[in-house]
Amino acid sequence: MRIARFSIDGNVAFGAVQGDQQDELVLDIIKGIPFTDFELSGTKVPVSRVRLLPPVLPNKVVAFGRNYAEHARETGGEAPDVPFAFFKPATSVIGPGDEIQYPSFSEEVHHEAELAVVIGRLCREVPRERVKDVIFGYTCANDVTARDVQRRETQWARAKGFDTSCPLGPWVETDLDVTAAGDLTVQLTVNGEQRQLGRTSEMIHSIEDLIVNISEAMTLLPGDVILTGTPAGVGPLNVGDEVAVTIEGIGTLTNKVVKRG
């Protein structure tokens, strides 16, 4: 099931996305929230009439860096022996169609297409065999990065945590199991030109590895997001660019880059 979060007429709700053609998609509004047992209301609204929002509002976004060997090499680093985590704040999250605001303190902003894992239940110290039980679903992400700031500052908080640096969407796909999610095509285009193309099977540390690793240290909450790393091909974004992340079996997340006002 594809579950989207949206607004219409000033109201915010979750809905199950139905249909295959973009211009025919409809939302069956969910009663309540999707992290518990829920029912479909039967009230349907065309996607074209709503504004799609970030599919979840995470308490925290835990991102893992250099999880693809080729990407580690292209940025001048070595792939870590163990998962390497950092955080993006909730204020960095935006949804499909929202604008990425080019930060005033950077002159080199890069795109990074990533598979995002959405946590579905409160959990801590998750054993490998239970990882599948704590995953709600998967969505597309763009770990937008101020690369020049990342290079000159020891901590990545500003480089990767600035406002609008974490587009998520367009919805959460809940029907993928963890095995299928471990071998999906991840691609990114800028103004229609392909920049990144890889598969999640190229990850150094698997989805199970990442969730076991971070849940050893902290409690994960429903709606928290895990970013799993980006394949090679990262590169600059400029004001006016349209950047699209497409992940097999999930969908396409599109955002435009604008000058911060």
Side-chain angles (χ1 to χ4, degrees):
M1 182 179 292
R2 294 168 293 173
I3 296 180
R5 181 170 160 269
F6 66 95
S7 66
I8 183 171
D9 299 330
N11 298 308
V12 175
F14 289 93
V17 183
Q18 300 175 347
D20 297 316
Q21 300 300 319
Q22 184 63 37
D23 58 355
E24 298 176 356
L25 296 179
V26 297
L27 291 159
D28 192 335
I29 297 175
I30 289 172
K31 295 179 180 179
I33 61 173
F35 299 111
T36 59
D37 291 337
F38 65 87
E39 296 180 2
L40 299 178
S41 68
T43 300
K44 299 183 179 182
V45 59
V47 169
S48 59
R49 285 191 52 210
V50 309
R51 177 190 173 197
L52 291 179
L53 302 173
V56 290
L57 286 179
N59 174 270
K60 54 187 170 291
V61 177
V62 182
F64 285 91
R66 298 172 182 163
N67 199 28
Y68 289 73
E70 287 298 320
H71 170 61
R73 284 191 283 270
E74 75 179 350
T75 54
E78 294 296 325
D81 293 332
V82 296
F84 173 75
F86 59 93
F87 293 98
K88 294 173 82 79
T91 48
S92 68
V93 173
I94 58 174
D98 290 341
E99 296 174 337
I100 300 168
Q101 297 181 6
Y102 205 107
S104 58
F105 56 86
S106 174
E107 296 181 352
E108 187 185 357
V109 171
H110 282 198
H111 55 75
E112 295 191 9
E114 308 205 9
L115 173 70
V117 183
V118 180
I119 298 299
R121 63 178 64 179
L122 185 147
C123 58
R124 183 167 63 92
E125 296 186 354
V126 181
R128 179 174 297 273
E129 64 272 15
R130 295 294 304 277
V131 164
K132 64 182 183 300
D133 298 329
V134 306
I135 295 175
F136 176 63
Y138 302 87
T139 191
C140 306
N142 192 346
D143 177 19
V144 183
T145 302
R147 192 72 70 200
D148 51 349
V149 178
Q150 183 186 27
R151 283 194 292 262
R152 70 174 178 259
E153 296 183 2
T154 304
Q155 297 291 331
W156 294 0
R158 296 202 321 147
K160 287 179 171 284
F162 60 88
D163 290 353
T164 75
S165 66
C166 189
L168 297 174
W171 39 65
V172 178
E173 175 57 71
T174 65
D175 286 342
L176 285 170
D177 64 27
V178 70
T179 301
D183 190 20
L184 301 174
T185 300
V186 178
Q187 58 182 318
L188 180 143
T189 63
V190 177
N191 302 324
E193 176 187 350
Q194 184 172 287
R195 295 275 190 88
Q196 291 184 264
L197 179 63
R199 296 194 68 82
T200 55
S201 55
E202 299 167 3
M203 291 191 295
I204 298 166
H205 305 290
S206 68
I207 294 167
E208 294 96 331
D209 293 336
L210 303 181
I211 292 179
V212 168
N213 173 272
I214 199 61
S215 70
E216 287 177 338
M218 66 191 66
T219 299
L220 301 176
L221 304 176
D224 280 351
V225 170
I226 311 294
L227 302 189
T228 59
T230 192
V234 301
L237 290 171
N238 298 299
V239 172
D241 284 345
E242 183 176 85
V243 55
V245 177
T246 300
I247 299 182
E248 178 185 2
I250 299 176
T252 298
L253 166 68
T254 303
N255 302 90
K256 190 169 183 177
V257 183
V258 301
K259 183 177 180 180
R260 176 177 287 183

